[in-house]
Amino acid sequence: MRRWHGLDEVPADWGRSVVTIGVFDGVHRGHQRIVGTAARLARERGLRSVVITFDPHPDEVVRPGTHPPLLSSTRRRAELLEELGTDVVILLPFTLELSRMSPDEFVQSVLVDRLHAAHVIVGEDFRFGHKAKGDVALLRELGDKYDFTAEGMPLVADGDTISSTYIRGRLAAGDVTAAATALGRPHRVEGVVVRGHQRGRALGFPTANLETMPHVAIPADGVYAGFLVCDSDRYPACRWPAAISIGTNPTFEGPGERTVEAYALDRDDLDLYGEHVAVDFTERIRDTLKFDSVEALVEEMHRDVARARELTA
């Protein structure tokens, strides 16, 4: 799969293609259906499939300060799209200039002049162009004008309509199980391991303290079962069962910063400082609690680890 940053990287001799467009934050089951359909249709027609996604999130440009919590990093998003059989992912910088294009200008400059779209597949709620004036009906009209076909696919529903907004809501409530069902995989938070207060090591549970990226969707405070994932020269393709804590460590005095910490079960030999790692959340174990003593906290941590071991077995 190829990854292009902006339209300037599209080759001059690029042929016709099947295109799908969206932020695709999280690449959830609804996104998977749209992107997978585009890839399959492209193969059937002997064409190449292209996914256009955006960075930063359009909301941050159109309404600064409203950036929603992100379900995936741009790199992770590209990896997930690749797994669906996409030939090319274009990370299109979302700028004020782009946001001010009329629907016709957007279609002509992006879909027609650069990508020579033969067919465009989007979600049925897709909006585009200045002030989101374009919808699927207008996209079809512009397709007639510029010689491509277009379709809007129905949203996937599983009791609740699957959307990035729904998944963010479940994570904010700590319901990582429902979030995983909608995503089609556990929710992942990425970051670089940094030195914290090292309380976990002193208590017998050395944790990886993640410095997460801005605007990341972090589940509600609590203790979770999941996996600590690393793929580096030192730890290639490693995935360890883990107990994960999110919160401010209220048992200890002083203003606590909110942290994401993961203890790889039964591993005290890992040196992860400076490594880029990920945490996959599978199930919630309990709320964050303030204990009367460190001894009481340690007893509870032993129970948390035992429960995490059961849930990740």
Side-chain angles (χ1 to χ4, degrees):
M1 187 196 77
R2 285 177 276 188
R3 301 179 190 178
W4 296 335
H5 293 269
L7 297 172
D8 290 342
E9 296 190 19
V10 181
D13 61 350
W14 183 252
R16 303 207 74 181
S17 55
V18 176
V19 182
T20 185
I21 314 165
V23 178
F24 297 124
D25 182 26
V27 194
H28 57 62
R29 285 169 49 207
H31 298 150
Q32 292 165 27
R33 184 177 177 223
I34 295 169
V35 174
T37 299
R40 175 183 55 77
L41 185 60
R43 289 192 299 270
E44 291 173 354
R45 295 188 177 187
L47 304 175
R48 284 169 291 191
S49 58
V50 178
V51 174
I52 299 174
T53 185
F54 304 98
D55 185 56
H57 194 286
D59 284 356
E60 182 62 19
V61 175
V62 177
R63 294 177 293 278
T66 64
H67 201 307
L70 293 178
L71 302 175
S72 58
S73 65
T74 52
R75 182 179 69 174
R76 176 65 170 161
R77 201 187 320 165
E79 291 171 351
L80 293 168
L81 292 168
E82 180 179 7
E83 291 173 5
L84 297 171
T86 300
D87 293 313
V88 179
V89 171
I90 299 179
L91 186 63
L92 194 61
F94 197 90
T95 61
L96 276 175
E97 181 183 13
L98 183 66
S99 74
R100 290 168 178 163
M101 282 186 176
S102 70
D104 194 303
E105 289 174 325
F106 177 83
V107 165
Q108 184 174 7
S109 63
V110 177
L111 298 179
V112 179
D113 292 346
R114 292 302 185 98
L115 296 176
H116 311 299
H119 189 70
V120 180
I121 302 178
V122 293
E124 63 181 5
D125 61 345
F126 176 70
R127 309 290 295 194
F128 67 104
H130 186 50
K131 295 185 177 179
K133 291 179 179 177
D135 57 12
V136 174
L138 180 56
L139 186 64
R140 290 195 183 100
E141 291 180 20
L142 293 171
D144 292 337
K145 177 179 178 180
Y146 291 113
D147 189 30
F148 65 83
T149 53
E151 66 176 296
M153 294 190 67
L155 302 179
V156 174
D158 187 6
D160 294 287
T161 298
I162 293 175
S163 69
S164 297
T165 300
Y166 166 76
I167 295 167
R168 292 186 193 106
R170 298 325 306 150
L171 293 173
D175 190 353
V176 296
T177 304
T181 298
L183 285 165
R185 66 183 181 281
H187 175 60
R188 172 171 290 189
V189 171
E190 300 179 55
V192 174
V193 178
V194 296
R195 292 188 184 277
H197 295 289
Q198 297 187 303
R199 294 185 182 120
R201 182 172 295 279
L203 298 176
F205 302 95
T207 59
N209 187 354
L210 274 66
E211 183 176 70
T212 58
M213 294 174 287
H215 307 301
V216 171
I218 296 175
D221 288 3
V223 177
Y224 298 84
F227 294 87
L228 178 60
V229 182
C230 186
D231 189 5
S232 67
D233 292 339
R234 190 186 305 170
Y235 300 107
C238 289
R239 188 170 185 262
W240 303 290
I244 307 152
S245 175
I246 299 175
T248 58
N249 295 308
T251 299
F252 298 92
E253 294 183 2
E257 294 183 2
R258 192 170 189 244
T259 60
V260 178
E261 302 177 74
Y263 166 59
L265 303 186
D266 307 315
R267 298 297 299 264
D268 59 5
D269 58 335
L270 302 177
D271 181 8
L272 294 170
Y273 292 120
E275 297 281 6
H276 183 275
V277 302
V279 175
D280 289 344
F281 295 85
T282 55
E283 294 200 44
R284 184 177 176 88
I285 295 175
R286 63 171 173 87
D287 293 340
T288 296
L289 303 172
K290 182 176 181 178
F291 295 90
D292 294 332
S293 67
V294 172
E295 290 75 18
L297 169 62
V298 171
E299 287 182 14
E300 186 64 31
M301 291 173 72
H302 278 287
R303 287 191 286 270
D304 294 338
V305 167
R307 183 61 178 148
R309 185 175 292 108
E310 292 174 3
L311 294 171
T312 57

